[in-house]
């Protein structure tokens, strides 16, 4: 049987080499790799979330988790690539790897709990420099993740080696397998992000993913044994595949291909970081937005891979094709923000269609993701299997296919690690989103020029194509819009950008309205404003506990925002610790001095840039009052600040007689589940401020007119009570809404918010009938007065 330029030296086995079994083998391998991709992305979602409980949700903590995850994939691919060419039954080895992935990944929740205890114990004795803490997080995350992620990385070379390589149709198999694995990743991303976590919780989702690994592993082991048995008696020697090239390139061209796809990994993850940061402004920072953006990226890659599959084994000049693809990726990427001007129109068309299968609320997220991400991702999906085909099959002759596939994937992943870290830590803070996008697109374009220089075309053809492509890229780059201008024009028309910063943690923008009021947005979410009503809401969160606590001397404020809450606390004179996640938010506070009492310049205020929950877990300090700026519970990561575990951390740091204040709003379902959870930790909770403030206490509330009068006679107290609009004791009592009994009756029985099931963050899992009506919350504050 003729295979390319070589011939099989022994009579082929009908069972092993007929087209039908080969097609079935490919289909089986594709199905297994689909499920493997689904489980891998489920784990990624779960690990990023659960390690956030240990290390916090700062970009430094998240990046160390991401780097250890991707590093394991690269190591596994590289090592398995060298092993795959030597084993007799690569599909069975793939099966055993999947079984071990499931077993080790299933044990990670227990390991994370042990890791959390170790982190709490080790933290006080560690140097608190950023470099030391980041390195310690990386080492500890690696200890937990390196085994399952290395095994995950090993699966690609093994499954490629097992997929009927003797048939000489390597390109087709690579395209199908890569596309199937990526399609599985889409299912894993959407399944975990939209359904599994809010439906069954994080712990049970780990079980689902591990069960998937178990099924894949056992099936692969059985199929590998059957295939080996069918060829044991008459196993033909390997024949070289047919060369994929119409004209053989120079050897140096293959090195260029490998280098280009190392850079491609850097560019693809760098673009993902930039896209996600900018699209968050438009789509809002929700778990659904992130899931849709990632699914769109993966969907484009999968569609591109499937699209190129039918022709991958044809004799084509593939290096010029790759050159054109990389040039096109550069051009399309550099203008990827421009289509966002059509997001409203596309959303209006998509929403009625999507509402038949998912919540119509996702229409806007899907529209933005399709416009900005899909075109470039589609081209990337076409390019990757071509590049792998070219590198792995270098002309005729026997080829160590497993080793080459492992090497190619490992370098691509290594580039991806560097790209994600560089984009988040260096490019966005230093260059901003537009110039970062242009630089990354230029890297892809330069890769295309490098491939063009190594292509088999005549020199004059290469020069003409290069010049024309460069002109197109230059025009596209010069005409690329500033994403901030698009964002403000779409969300806040007629407003002026006063200040903006794309920091490591978040994108912060200060806008000025036509009436000269200022507004702060963080990742597209309204956070503070100088208008009277917004300022009062934020100040009240700080002033109220200071008016109610008999003698507050130490106060912790989670979240700075515009500084109104922390500033309100500070004027009363206690020692104030403020913990803010994003340095960019800290720098924006200078614009809100009119409402924040110049908080950062006050001698009794100390600021710490850190994750608030992580600070509560690690601090040895105790406080009389713990409060927080307005943090919307439906946005990604906010669930960590509304769970029972978080409220327990608040209670842990309170002194005897201490108070914890929690702002709460939203739909009726959201309000009740938050209040019910808070009440479960603070049974003596009272309700204030029209139902928007929950005051949790370690002891029953006691109000004294004499204490109120004493505070009113101090300068800070008088200002605070005046700004709170409760200049008299009777007006303070009038701000009371309900006690714990009334609140308990109002919220009723039902689920609690936990780390395992952060239902409010996954808000589409809850009824969304309308905003809560707290008018029925009525109680008598005078029963808490003890000196009348």
């Amino acid at each position: 049987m003729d295979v390319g330029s070589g011939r099989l030296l022994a009579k082929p086995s009908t069972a092993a080499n007929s087209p039908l079994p080969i097609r079935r083998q490919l289909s089986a391998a594709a199905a297994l790799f689909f499920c493997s991709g689904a489980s891998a992305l489920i784990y990624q979602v779960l690990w990023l979330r659960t390690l956030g409980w240990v290390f916090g949700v700062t970009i430094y903590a998240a990046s160390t988790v991401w780097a250890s995850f991707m590093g394991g994939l690269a190591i596994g691919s590289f090592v398995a690539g060298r092993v795959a060419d030597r084993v007799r039954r690569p599909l069975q080895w793939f099966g055993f790897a999947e079984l071990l992935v499931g077993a080790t990944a299933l044990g990670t929740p227990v390991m994370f709990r042990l890791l959390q205890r170790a982190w709490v114990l080790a933290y006080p004795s560690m140097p608190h420099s950023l470099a030391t803490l980041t390195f310690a997080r990386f080492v500890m995350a690696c200890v937990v993740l390196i085994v399952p992620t290395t095994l995950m990385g090993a699966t690609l070379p093994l499954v490629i080696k097992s997929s009927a390589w003797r048939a000489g149709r390597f390109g087709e198999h690579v395209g199908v397998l890569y596309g199937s694995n990526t399609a599985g990743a889409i299912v894993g991303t959407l399944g975990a992000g939209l359904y599994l976590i809010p439906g069954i919780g994080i712990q049970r989702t780990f079980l689902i993913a591990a069960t998937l690994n178990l099924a894949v592993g056992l099936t692969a082991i059985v199929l590998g044994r059957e295939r080996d048995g069918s060829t044991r008696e008459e196993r033909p020697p390997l024949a070289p595949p047919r060369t994929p090239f119409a004209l053989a390139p120079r050897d140096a061209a293959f090195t260029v291909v490998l280098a280009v796809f190392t850079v491609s990994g850097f560019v693809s993850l760098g673009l993902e970081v930039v896209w996600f940061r900018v699209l968050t402004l438009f789509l809002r920072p929700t778990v659904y937005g992130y899931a849709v953006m990632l699914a769109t990226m993966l969907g484009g890659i999968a569609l591109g891979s499937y699209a190129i599959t039918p022709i991958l084994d044809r004799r084509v000049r593939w290096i010029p094709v790759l050159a054109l693809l990389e040039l096109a990726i550069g051009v399309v990427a550099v203008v990827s923000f421009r289509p966002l001007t059509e997001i409203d129109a596309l959303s209006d068309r998509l929403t009625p269609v999507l509402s038949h299968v998912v919540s119509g609320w996702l229409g806007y997220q899907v529209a933005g993701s399709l416009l900005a991400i899909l075109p470039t991702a589609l081209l990337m999906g076409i390019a990757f299997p071509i590049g792998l085909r070219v590198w792995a099959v270098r002309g005729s002759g026997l080829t160590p296919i497993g080793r080459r596939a492992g090497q190619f994937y490992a370098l691509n992943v290594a580039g991806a690690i560097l790209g994600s870290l560089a984009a988040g830590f260096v490019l966005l803070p230093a260059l901003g989103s537009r110039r970062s996008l242009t630089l990354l697109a230029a890297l892809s374009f330069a890769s295309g020029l490098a491939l063009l220089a190594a292509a088999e075309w005549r020199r004059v053809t290469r020069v003409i194509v290069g010049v024309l492509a460069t002109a197109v890229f230059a025009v596209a780059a010069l005409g690329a819009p500033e994403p901030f201008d698009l964002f403000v024009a779409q969300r806040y028309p007629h407003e002026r950008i006063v200040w903006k910063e794309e920091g490591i943690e978040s994108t912060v923008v200060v806008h000025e309205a036509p009436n000269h009021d200022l507004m702060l947005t963080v990742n597209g979410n309204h956070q503070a404003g100088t208008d009277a009503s917004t300022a009062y809401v934020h100040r009240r969160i700080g002033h109220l506990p200071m008016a109610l606590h008999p003698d507050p001397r130490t106060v912790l404020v989670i979240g700075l925002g515009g500084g109104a809450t922390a500033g309100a606390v500070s004027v009363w004179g206690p020692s104030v610790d403020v913990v803010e996640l994003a340095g960019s938010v800290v720098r924006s506070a200078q614009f809100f001095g009119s409402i924040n009492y110049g908080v950062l310049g006050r001698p009794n205020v100390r600021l710490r840039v850190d994750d608030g929950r992580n600070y509560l877990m690690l601090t040895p300090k105790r406080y009389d009052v713990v409060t927080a700026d307005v943090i919307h519970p439906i946005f990604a990561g906010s669930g960590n600040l509304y769970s029972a575990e978080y409220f327990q951390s608040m209670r842990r740091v309170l002194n005897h007689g201490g108070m914890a204040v929690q702002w709460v709003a939203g739909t009726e379902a959201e309000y009740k589940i938050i209040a019910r959870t808070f009440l479960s930790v603070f049974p003596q909770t009272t309700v204030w401020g029209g139902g928007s403030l929950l005051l949790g206490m370690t002891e029953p509330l006691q109000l004294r007119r004499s204490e109120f009068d004493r505070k009113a006679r101090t300068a800070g107290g008088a200002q605070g009570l005046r700004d709170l609009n409760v200049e008299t004791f009777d007006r303070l009592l009038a701000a009371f809404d309900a006690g714990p009994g009334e609140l308990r009756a109002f919220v009723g029985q039902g689920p609690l918010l936990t780390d395992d099931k952060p239902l409010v963050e996954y808000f589409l899992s809850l009824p969304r009938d309308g905003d809560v009506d707290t008018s029925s919350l009525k109680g008598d504050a005078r029963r808490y007065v003890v000196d009348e």
Side-chain angles (χ1 to χ4, degrees):
M1 181 178 181
D2 190 47
V3 181
S5 60
R7 294 180 180 273
L8 296 177
L9 303 180
K11 182 180 178 180
S13 165
T14 302
N17 295 284
S18 64
L20 186 57
I22 290 171
R23 183 65 60 183
R24 286 177 177 172
Q25 290 168 12
L26 178 59
S27 298
L32 294 174
F33 216 30
F34 175 93
C35 295
S36 177
S39 67
L41 262 292
I42 291 173
Y43 288 132
Q44 181 180 324
V45 171
L46 297 178
W47 286 334
L48 284 171
R49 187 164 195 96
T50 52
L51 276 172
W53 306 337
V54 181
F55 299 135
V57 295
T58 67
I59 190 66
Y60 299 101
S63 295
T64 57
V65 175
W66 172 253
S68 59
F69 177 87
M70 296 294 285
L73 295 183
I75 293 169
S77 178
F78 182 80
V79 173
R82 294 180 172 272
V83 172
D85 293 309
R86 305 173 189 172
V87 299
R88 288 180 54 200
R89 303 175 182 179
L91 190 60
Q92 284 194 317
W93 278 65
F94 166 76
F96 286 121
E98 284 290 318
L99 291 178
L100 290 172
V101 168
T104 55
L106 189 58
T108 53
V110 175
M111 293 295 295
F112 291 152
R113 287 192 288 271
L114 296 174
L115 184 62
Q116 186 172 33
R117 294 174 190 171
W119 182 241
V120 172
L121 292 173
Y123 182 82
S125 60
M126 294 174 59
H128 290 179
S129 69
L130 179 61
T132 301
L133 293 177
T134 300
F135 178 74
R137 288 166 178 151
F138 177 74
V139 171
M140 297 175 83
C142 278
V143 168
V144 178
L145 297 183
I146 194 65
V147 174
T149 55
T150 297
L151 291 165
M152 287 178 185
T155 58
L156 177 66
L158 291 170
V159 80
I160 284 177
K161 183 64 177 176
S162 72
S163 62
W165 167 239
R166 293 174 180 80
R169 300 193 62 81
F170 177 73
E172 175 190 352
H173 297 169
V174 165
V176 169
L177 291 171
Y178 183 64
S180 298
N181 186 251
T182 308
I186 300 169
V187 172
T189 299
L190 296 178
L194 272 62
Y195 304 107
L196 292 177
I197 292 177
I200 64 175
I202 288 174
Q203 301 303 321
R204 291 184 179 179
T205 302
F206 268 112
L207 285 173
I208 293 292
T211 301
L212 202 55
N213 292 131
L214 176 64
V216 170
L218 292 176
T219 303
I221 290 170
V222 171
L223 290 177
R225 181 176 301 169
E226 290 178 353
R227 178 180 174 188
D228 185 71
S230 70
T231 60
R232 185 175 298 145
E233 299 227 351
E234 200 169 1
R235 184 186 300 275
L238 291 178
R242 182 173 62 185
T243 174
F245 305 106
L247 180 65
R250 300 182 302 273
D251 285 344
F254 296 108
T255 303
V256 173
V257 170
L258 187 62
V260 162
F261 278 89
T262 304
V263 174
S264 175
F266 181 97
V267 170
S268 63
L269 264 292
L271 286 174
E272 185 176 311
V273 171
V274 175
W275 281 331
F276 283 23
R277 179 68 71 85
V278 170
L279 283 175
T280 296
L281 299 175
F282 293 85
L283 310 183
R284 302 293 179 88
T286 67
V287 292
Y288 300 109
Y290 290 122
V292 169
M293 286 186 279
L294 181 56
T296 303
M297 180 81 173
L298 295 171
I301 291 171
L303 288 173
S305 182
Y306 283 134
I308 197 64
T309 292
I311 63 172
L312 271 176
D313 288 302
R314 296 184 183 179
R315 293 170 61 83
V316 175
R317 294 184 178 183
W318 284 117
I319 291 182
V321 172
L322 279 176
L324 294 177
L325 283 169
E326 291 295 322
L327 294 172
I329 288 170
V331 173
V332 174
V334 82
V335 296
S336 57
F337 293 146
R338 181 168 291 284
L340 290 175
T341 56
E342 302 299 320
I343 188 172
D344 289 327
L346 182 58
S347 176
D348 290 341
R349 289 194 290 269
L350 283 177
T351 299
V353 177
L354 289 173
S355 61
H356 293 296
V357 290
V358 294
S359 170
W361 189 90
L362 296 174
Y364 199 79
Q365 278 64 31
V366 173
S369 300
L370 290 177
L371 289 170
I373 297 174
L374 184 63
T376 308
L378 190 65
L379 293 171
M380 290 177 175
I382 295 173
F384 186 89
I386 296 176
L388 180 54
R389 172 72 164 113
V390 170
W391 171 252
V393 186
R394 296 182 58 168
S396 60
L398 295 176
T399 307
I401 189 66
R403 180 173 65 82
R404 289 192 175 279
Q407 183 183 40
F408 185 92
Y409 183 63
L411 288 174
N412 184 259
V413 171
I417 296 171
L418 295 176
S420 64
L421 295 177
F425 287 104
V426 180
L427 298 183
L428 281 172
L431 302 178
S433 55
R434 181 187 175 188
R435 286 184 290 178
S436 295
L437 183 77
T438 301
L439 177 60
L440 291 166
L443 282 175
S444 180
F445 189 84
S447 297
L449 292 178
L451 286 167
L452 192 62
E456 305 94 310
W457 285 344
R458 291 182 303 169
R459 180 171 181 174
V460 64
T461 303
R462 286 180 281 153
V463 170
I464 292 173
V465 171
V467 170
L468 291 177
T470 301
V472 171
F473 180 82
V475 171
L478 291 173
E482 170 59 58
F484 282 102
D485 294 338
L486 296 178
F487 163 63
V488 173
Q490 187 232 37
R491 183 79 63 79
Y492 304 104
H494 313 300
E495 293 197 1
R496 180 178 69 90
I497 295 178
V498 175
W499 179 87
K500 68 181 189 307
E501 181 172 304
E502 294 179 89
I504 291 174
E505 294 285 353
S506 55
T507 298
V508 181
V509 185
V510 178
H511 315 261
E512 184 181 49
N515 64 356
H516 303 298
D517 281 336
L518 297 180
M519 181 175 60
L520 174 68
T521 60
V522 180
N523 290 332
N525 174 42
H526 180 276
Q527 190 63 42
T530 57
D531 62 285
S533 59
T534 301
Y536 178 75
V537 168
H538 289 260
R539 284 175 164 182
R540 181 172 59 182
I541 301 171
H543 285 310
L544 181 64
M546 304 307 292
L548 295 175
H549 192 284
D551 187 22
R553 298 185 179 185
T554 55
V555 181
L556 172 64
V557 181
I558 304 294
L560 178 66
T565 298
V569 170
S570 70
V571 300
W572 293 74
S575 173
V576 184
D577 289 336
V578 182
V579 180
E580 167 56 48
L581 181 66
S584 300
V585 172
V586 175
R587 289 181 284 277
S588 73
Q590 62 182 305
F591 296 95
F592 296 89
S594 62
I595 64 168
N596 67 22
Y597 307 93
V599 59
L600 296 182
R602 288 183 168 266
N604 61 325
V605 176
R606 286 170 302 281
L607 174 72
R608 179 187 180 96
V609 178
D610 198 353
D611 175 80
R613 174 165 170 162
N614 203 244
Y615 176 82
L616 286 173
M617 181 179 72
L618 297 172
T619 184
K621 298 181 71 172
R622 295 296 179 265
Y623 297 93
D624 296 316
V625 173
V626 177
T627 186
D629 193 35
V630 172
I631 300 170
H632 293 276
I634 67 171
F635 295 122
S638 297
N640 288 342
L641 302 180
Y642 283 89
S643 68
E645 291 86 349
Y646 169 72
F647 294 143
Q648 288 161 3
S649 294
M650 291 177 72
R651 183 168 184 131
R652 184 188 69 83
V653 302
L654 285 175
N655 288 321
H656 179 73
M659 295 180 174
V661 182
Q662 179 63 55
W663 174 86
V664 59
T667 66
E668 182 171 348
E670 291 165 359
Y671 183 96
K672 286 185 175 180
I673 194 172
I674 293 171
R676 189 184 302 122
T677 304
F678 192 79
L679 191 61
S680 72
V681 177
F682 295 99
Q684 302 297 330
T685 296
T686 54
V687 186
W688 301 76
S692 65
L693 295 180
L694 304 179
L695 185 71
M697 291 151 289
T698 60
E699 301 292 331
L701 176 66
Q702 292 185 346
L703 300 175
R704 292 180 173 84
R705 185 181 296 271
S706 58
E707 289 175 354
F708 180 90
D709 292 340
R710 175 180 57 80
K711 292 176 182 178
R713 288 192 293 268
T714 66
Q719 181 178 8
L721 293 173
R722 184 171 58 252
D723 290 346
L724 185 59
N725 200 22
V726 292
E727 291 92 336
T728 67
F729 187 66
D730 289 334
R731 294 193 68 171
L732 176 65
L733 298 182
F736 176 87
D737 289 302
E742 293 89 0
L743 179 61
R744 196 169 285 110
F746 180 77
V747 300
Q749 298 293 317
L752 302 179
L753 289 174
T754 63
D755 287 343
D756 187 60
K757 292 185 75 172
L759 293 174
V760 173
E761 195 173 341
Y762 292 83
F763 53 90
L764 295 181
S765 65
L766 297 172
R768 300 192 61 76
D769 298 332
D771 289 341
V772 65
D773 180 4
T774 58
S775 60
S776 61
L777 272 172
K778 296 186 184 210
D780 184 6
R782 294 196 176 275
R783 68 186 183 212
Y784 298 100
V785 179
V786 297
D787 62 351
E788 288 187 348

